[in-house]
Amino acid sequence: MSQSSTPFPFSPPAVLTLGSRTFSVRELAWPEAMEFLRKLGTAAACFVTPDGRPRPISDLLPEVLAQGENAIAYLLQQSIGLGPDDLRQLPASVTLRLTQSALELTLNDDLIVAGNAVAERLRRAFGRSISSAAPSISSSGADTAIRM
């Protein structure tokens, strides 16, 4: 897909040549991004017990790895079109580079700034702060974060 055929307002796809393969990585659309964030949230939820206490690392590591893998597989399936068989055939270094590119496009600075504005508006509207225990995603080089 060429840059000129990228539908507005999406970022142009990133084209990565890794080894002998070329990959086109696109930004996720709203429903896909929300599903990715739900899957990522499931992985983050593994860190605490139902009553909010931290879980021992030995108890949560297998679950975090499984849930994180699920979120990343979904991200790569949606942004690049890679299925489970494709992922099994890629080296870890290539998979991580593709993940990095997909995250940069989907969790871009515009999304982070807009997310912070929405979080701040909700905080002000409801008169209390968003939980400080919530995970945050920092913008590259900025002092902003989305609290989910």
Side-chain angles (χ1 to χ4, degrees), residues 11-16 22-27 79-80 101-102 104-105:
S11 300
V15 178
L16 294 160
T22 299
F23 301 89
S24 179
V25 184
R26 70 172 180 83
E27 180 180 1
S79 66
I80 303 169
S101 183
E104 286 173 356
L105 284 169

Side-chain angles (χ1 to χ4, degrees), residues 40-58:
L40 202 55
T42 298
C46 299
F47 287 103
V48 294
T49 62
D51 61 351
R53 287 184 284 161
R55 287 179 58 195
I57 194 86
S58 61

Side-chain angles (χ1 to χ4, degrees), residues 2-84:
S2 70
Q3 183 172 340
S4 62
S5 66
T6 301
F8 178 80
F10 287 92
S11 300
V15 178
L16 294 160
T17 301
L18 303 169
S20 61
R21 286 189 65 182
T22 299
F23 301 89
S24 179
V25 184
R26 70 172 180 83
E27 180 180 1
L28 297 185
W30 172 255
E32 298 165 331
M34 291 308 298
E35 182 61 22
F36 168 65
L37 291 173
R38 271 190 287 283
K39 290 177 181 299
L40 202 55
T42 298
C46 299
F47 287 103
V48 294
T49 62
D51 61 351
R53 287 184 284 161
R55 287 179 58 195
I57 194 86
S58 61
D59 290 350
L60 65 89
L61 193 55
E63 190 175 348
V64 168
L65 291 174
Q67 294 299 331
E69 181 180 17
N70 185 28
I72 295 303
Y74 179 83
L75 174 68
L76 295 178
Q77 178 183 10
Q78 298 303 315
S79 66
I80 303 169
L82 296 175

Side-chain angles (χ1 to χ4, degrees), residues 125-138:
F126 294 106
R128 61 184 201 139
S129 65
I130 305 295
S131 171
S132 61
S136 65
I137 304 169
S138 295

Side-chain angles (χ1 to χ4, degrees), residues 111-128:
L111 176 116
I112 291 169
V113 168
N116 284 328
V118 168
E120 176 61 18
R121 179 67 56 183
L122 291 171
R123 185 196 62 76
R124 288 177 31 212
F126 294 106
R128 61 184 201 139

